[in-house]
Amino acid sequence: MQKQNIEIIKDIKTVLEFYQAMGIERIPLNIAQKCRSAEVQKPPPHPPLGKGGRRGGDYSKKVIALKALRDEIGDCQRCKLSKGRKNIVFGEGSVDAEIMFIGEGPGEDEDLQGRPFVGRAGQLLTKLIEKMGFKREDVYIGNIVKCRPPFNRVPEEDEISACSPFIRKQAGIISPKVIVSLGRISTQTLIGTKIPIGKLRGKFYQFENIPLMPTFHPSYLLRNPKDKWLVWEDAQKVLERLKK
Ligand code: SF4
């Protein structure tokens, strides 16, 4: 019994540390109740990923396929977003990733560096990934469109249609155990719906036989930090799914 209490205290400590890292100042009542009943799971340890990792022999094939896809994209002019970009942000991470995060499109920092999620929103995403028990390089991160929309506006239908086949192919090559779609555009594009993200998040959907968990975009969380705990709830469901 005493041992069980110690485990519960450790779980609560883990959750509180996560909230602190995510900048949460108050805990909603229902979360506090979950902590008391020890329903909140601490992140499980993950084996190191990398060459020869999760799916062993597929590694080389995946690297070659991703390289071929990048070559296919080339100096892409398939949509009007090509006009203002500095860099195409292809995506990055482990080709053997168990989790793939898919956002909307690059912002200014991402456009300058040619890497996804490296600005303030990216730092928040990295914190989430680490609190889930992974390193950033263990997962794969990409976007629905690979070039920055002007003034960070939402990508338009024709731009999404032109670019989203690439991230679909990336997901097919990497074949993660779970996709986490970040925000409305990513979620609605991948599962083909117009339902608002607030109604979609927190439940699993299917993207070409891969379980997909929608959650809020980190940029939204920067504007609405009180909703960070909802993203952590979604993340815990993802961690549970990875155990299966
Ligand atoms: S957003 Fe995608 S389709 Fe449009 S120019 Fe960039 S890489 Fe090509």
Side-chain angles (χ1 to χ4, degrees):
M1 185 64 185
Q2 195 179 9
K3 193 176 169 189
Q4 192 185 10
N5 286 344
I6 290 170
E7 286 303 310
I8 290 170
I9 290 166
K10 278 187 190 166
D11 286 347
I12 293 170
K13 185 167 176 283
T14 301
V15 173
L16 292 176
E17 283 173 351
F18 170 79
Y19 288 146
Q20 187 180 41
M22 298 287 281
I24 293 172
E25 292 168 359
R26 293 182 185 184
I27 302 173
L29 185 60
N30 61 340
I31 285 291
Q33 284 168 341
K34 280 190 176 184
C35 288
R36 280 198 293 275
S37 61
E39 287 174 15
V40 177
Q41 303 286 313
K42 65 180 175 183
H46 294 284
L49 298 174
K51 190 164 185 175
R54 181 166 66 91
R55 295 193 181 172
D58 287 349
Y59 183 90
S60 303
K61 286 183 192 161
K62 289 180 180 184
V63 170
I64 291 166
L66 281 179
K67 166 89 173 47
L69 180 61
R70 182 64 191 87
D71 290 346
E72 180 189 334
I73 293 169
D75 183 28
C76 186
Q77 312 284 325
R78 292 171 178 83
C79 83
K80 58 187 180 296
L81 293 182
S82 61
K83 294 192 170 57
R85 74 162 182 246
K86 292 198 169 45
N87 285 294
I88 292 175
V89 181
F90 179 68
E92 67 180 23
S94 169
V95 297
D96 270 341
E98 292 188 325
I99 310 181
M100 183 167 178
F101 291 87
I102 302 179
E104 180 178 307
E108 185 178 16
D109 293 318
E110 291 76 15
D111 182 43
L112 286 171
Q113 295 187 39
R115 298 179 56 212
F117 283 94
V118 289
R120 281 182 68 222
Q123 287 165 16
L124 195 56
L125 177 63
T126 302
K127 279 183 185 175
L128 175 67
I129 290 165
E130 289 172 352
K131 284 296 168 184
M132 290 173 77
F134 293 90
K135 294 182 193 140
R136 186 178 154 111
E137 56 267 32
D138 292 337
V139 305
Y140 197 92
I141 306 172
N143 282 305
I144 294 293
V145 295
K146 298 192 184 302
C147 301
R148 182 193 180 197
F151 308 108
N152 294 342
R153 67 156 166 76
V154 172
E156 294 172 356
E157 286 293 334
D158 59 322
E159 296 156 359
I160 292 171
S161 298
C163 204
S164 60
F166 298 132
I167 195 71
R168 290 174 186 275
K169 284 186 191 172
Q170 276 166 288
I173 292 166
I174 291 159
S175 189
K177 287 185 178 173
V178 177
I179 291 173
V180 178
S181 57
L182 300 166
R184 175 178 72 85
I185 293 293
S186 172
T187 304
Q188 292 183 343
T189 301
L190 294 173
I191 64 176
T193 181
K194 291 290 180 194
I195 296 172
I197 182 67
K199 291 200 169 135
L200 292 168
R201 61 145 290 275
K203 296 182 280 273
F204 277 105
Y205 300 83
Q206 288 289 316
F207 171 77
E208 294 176 8
N209 292 326
I210 301 170
L212 179 146
M213 170 60 73
T215 196
F216 291 125
H217 193 284
S219 297
Y220 168 86
L221 295 181
L222 289 174
R223 298 190 302 273
N224 300 276
K226 66 178 176 24
D227 284 343
K228 286 177 182 173
W229 68 278
L230 293 171
V231 173
W232 183 233
E233 278 202 340
D234 301 342
Q236 293 203 46
K237 289 175 186 169
V238 170
L239 293 173
E240 280 299 313
R241 180 59 69 105
L242 290 180
K243 291 181 192 165
K244 293 179 182 171

